[in-house]
Amino acid sequence: MLAGRYRLLSLLGRGGMGAVWRAHDEHLDREVAVKELRLPEHLDDAGRRTWIARLEREARAAARLRHPGIVTVHDRVTGEDGRPWIVMELVRGRSLDDLLKAEGPLPPGRVAQIGMQVLDALRAAHQAGITHRDIKPANVLLEDGRAVLTDFGIAAVEGDATLTSAGAVLGTPSYMSPEQVSGNEVTAASDLWSLGATLYTAVEGRPPFEGASTGAVFIAIATRDPGPAVHAGPLEPVLRALLQRAPSQRPTADQLQARLASLAEDRPPTAPTVLLPSGPRSPRRRQVKIVLAAVGGAVVLGLALVAVAAFIDTTQQQVREKRDNARYAANRKAVERMTSIPGKVVTIRRANDADKVYVESELCDDGTFSVHQCDVDGMIDSVVDWLGMQPSVTSVRLDDPETECEENPGCAFSVRSEGEPEISEVAIYSQYLSEPNRSIVLGFRVG
């Protein structure tokens, strides 16, 4: 019994910040959903206060919203251990994520209907000054044709101080917008990008960006275009527009609503009506024709100049790509010649800089993972010893406390290299492989 009123009945699901329970409200004789805050064991008092403040902010954010597409918050109570709990409307349905796992990709029309309802809920949140920041299939609940947006746990609320710790990753990597990945300001346009990624997943059965690690996903989101949505049909142009890297190039909520509405109703989008005058031609009409001809000539000349500029730009780009490819090949060979790299090398990939190579090596993974079972001091020593054996390395320094090597983003080394190969961005950090398993890895860049 929670707060002398809510009797917990069964666990509905778990997430990064908490668990959600089905409960019975003994006072009003109704079933509700209750969210429990989960506190990581390693938190100190300051960290504990930050996590609790996040749940408090979720309650405030959701309580400000009144919309059929947003889960209603009924109450906020405190447990015997001082942790806050949020009491919410119980949505009797499953999440979009669960539906996709059970039935596979959905038809474009159905996805457009879901997207239209989630968009309507987002517009209400944005008008209230709230950015969700974690739109994904698991946070879209489906109940009798109704799509409901939930989990405002990391929402950005206008007027609230930020509660994001330095270096912390808040959000789900595959559904984080390019500006969110880059640590820039998150706006309503960011939520629309995440909505596009969610709808892409719903129609294709996979996210638009995937990778072997969180870092690989982030790099893909920040630097690449998504693969074509081959099953999206008429929804494909909408997804492509939403997943533009530049927020200014994405459609507005009004533009998106009109397009989704036409797709949800399985009708073509409304085209603008063009009215042509009738009747005999007049001298004025001939003058217009002459002017249009002159303008047309200027346009042709302009297009020719644009084509020449485009050709020059393409040629320069090809030269740069050829140069970068040659440097990348040399750097990759340098990595392949390296011996005694600590741990088990799991990833060798192209870095953000097109000519450089990024390497990840797994230092510790016990299957179930407990950082306390990993010899962090030994890992640091092995990395320092290995760097000291590289001919180009002249000095190594650990910049962060050893305890941060067990966390994400982890601990970084300052490495000074003279000559080839240049080694930089060396760090040890914790990385999720799959829930709930984690490993500690060494990451470094060559080039």
Side-chain angles (χ1 to χ4, degrees):
M1 185 73 75
L2 177 65
R5 175 174 179 176
Y6 303 104
R7 185 178 301 279
L8 303 185
L9 301 176
S10 61
L11 180 66
L12 295 177
R14 293 185 181 275
M17 289 181 62
V20 179
W21 298 80
R22 183 173 66 90
H24 186 262
D25 183 346
E26 301 287 330
H27 289 189
L28 297 180
D29 190 24
R30 64 177 178 181
E31 287 195 340
V32 294
V34 181
K35 182 167 183 177
E36 169 194 10
L37 176 66
R38 288 173 53 195
L39 296 176
E41 295 180 358
H42 68 273
L43 288 181
D44 56 15
D45 289 342
R48 181 183 175 89
R49 287 193 298 270
T50 297
W51 276 71
I52 290 176
R54 284 186 187 138
L55 194 79
E56 298 278 12
R57 182 169 65 178
E58 176 182 357
R60 290 196 307 272
R64 286 168 54 174
L65 303 172
R66 293 289 184 272
H67 190 278
I70 297 175
V71 169
T72 302
V73 171
H74 297 314
D75 196 2
R76 179 269 189 208
V77 297
T78 302
E80 294 180 357
D81 58 358
R83 290 182 300 159
W85 297 61
I86 299 178
V87 182
M88 304 174 290
E89 162 195 10
L90 177 64
V91 178
R92 300 183 183 279
R94 53 182 170 176
S95 70
L96 175 59
D97 185 55
D98 290 336
L99 176 63
L100 295 175
K101 289 176 180 177
E103 301 182 10
L106 304 178
R110 173 70 172 126
V111 174
Q113 291 173 352
I114 294 172
M116 189 170 58
Q117 294 182 62
V118 175
L119 174 64
D120 198 43
L122 277 177
R123 294 179 74 180
H126 295 162
Q127 289 170 4
I130 298 171
T131 308
H132 190 284
R133 301 205 299 176
D134 197 21
I135 309 297
K136 60 182 179 181
N139 285 340
V140 177
L141 305 181
L142 305 174
E143 179 187 51
D144 298 330
R146 171 190 174 211
V148 186
L149 184 59
T150 187
D151 201 349
F152 283 77
I154 62 171
V157 183
E158 287 184 3
D160 273 10
T162 179
L163 295 172
T164 304
S165 302
V169 175
L170 289 181
T172 304
S174 293
Y175 301 96
M176 293 170 66
S177 66
E179 56 270 27
Q180 195 171 0
V181 164
S182 303
N184 296 323
E185 181 183 5
V186 178
T187 65
S190 309
D191 277 350
L192 295 185
W193 191 97
S194 300
L195 174 61
T198 296
L199 301 184
Y200 183 107
T201 302
V203 79
E204 294 296 309
R206 60 177 177 82
F209 297 97
E210 297 179 288
S213 66
T214 298
V217 174
F218 282 177
I219 291 172
I221 290 173
T223 62
R224 302 173 193 162
D225 295 326
V230 296
H231 303 294
L235 191 60
E236 193 276 336
V238 176
L239 301 179
R240 184 166 11 101
L242 284 172
L243 294 174
Q244 292 292 317
R245 285 196 293 273
S248 61
Q249 295 181 3
R250 297 168 203 157
T252 65
D254 289 342
Q255 293 169 335
L256 181 59
Q257 185 179 44
R259 189 70 179 107
L260 288 177
S262 66
L263 292 174
E265 297 173 9
D266 195 23
R267 59 178 173 82
T270 302
T273 301
V274 179
L275 298 178
L276 298 177
S278 59
R281 296 179 180 271
S282 65
R284 179 183 177 89
R285 186 177 300 277
R286 184 179 178 186
Q287 293 172 3
V288 171
K289 185 175 181 180
I290 293 173
V291 172
L292 288 177
V295 172
V299 169
V300 171
L301 177 60
L303 290 176
L305 293 175
V306 169
V308 172
F311 174 77
I312 294 174
D313 183 66
T314 300
T315 302
Q316 291 175 338
Q317 183 177 355
Q318 289 173 345
V319 171
R320 288 194 298 268
E321 288 180 354
K322 186 175 180 179
R323 179 195 62 200
D324 289 343
N325 288 339
R327 290 177 177 173
Y328 169 74
N331 288 326
R332 187 171 182 107
K333 287 182 180 179
V335 171
E336 293 169 352
R337 288 194 297 267
M338 289 180 175
T339 59
S340 305
I341 297 176
K344 178 182 69 177
V345 175
V346 292
T347 303
I348 301 176
R349 63 174 182 270
R350 205 158 189 159
N352 272 344
D353 299 318
D355 60 340
K356 296 176 175 57
V357 180
Y358 192 77
V359 183
E360 283 182 337
S361 178
E362 187 177 82
L363 300 177
C364 177
D365 174 27
D366 69 355
T368 58
F369 188 79
S370 169
V371 294
H372 303 296
Q373 297 178 16
C374 295
D375 180 10
V376 178
D377 291 341
M379 288 186 288
I380 293 173
D381 291 341
S382 66
V383 170
V384 171
D385 291 344
W386 172 73
L387 288 170
M389 292 189 297
Q390 306 309 308
S392 62
V393 174
T394 59
S395 66
V396 180
R397 183 182 73 247
L398 179 64
D399 294 336
D400 303 301
E402 295 180 0
T403 54
E404 293 189 16
C405 298
E406 304 171 1
E407 306 299 330
N408 189 330
C411 60
F413 295 79
S414 288
V415 179
R416 184 175 180 180
S417 292
E418 293 182 359
E420 301 293 340
E422 181 182 358
I423 301 175
S424 61
E425 295 185 10
V426 181
I428 298 177
Y429 49 90
S430 173
Q431 180 183 86
Y432 277 96
L433 298 175
S434 62
E435 291 287 355
N437 296 337
R438 288 194 295 169
S439 66
I440 292 182
V441 300
L442 162 68
F444 62 93
R445 190 175 69 167
V446 175

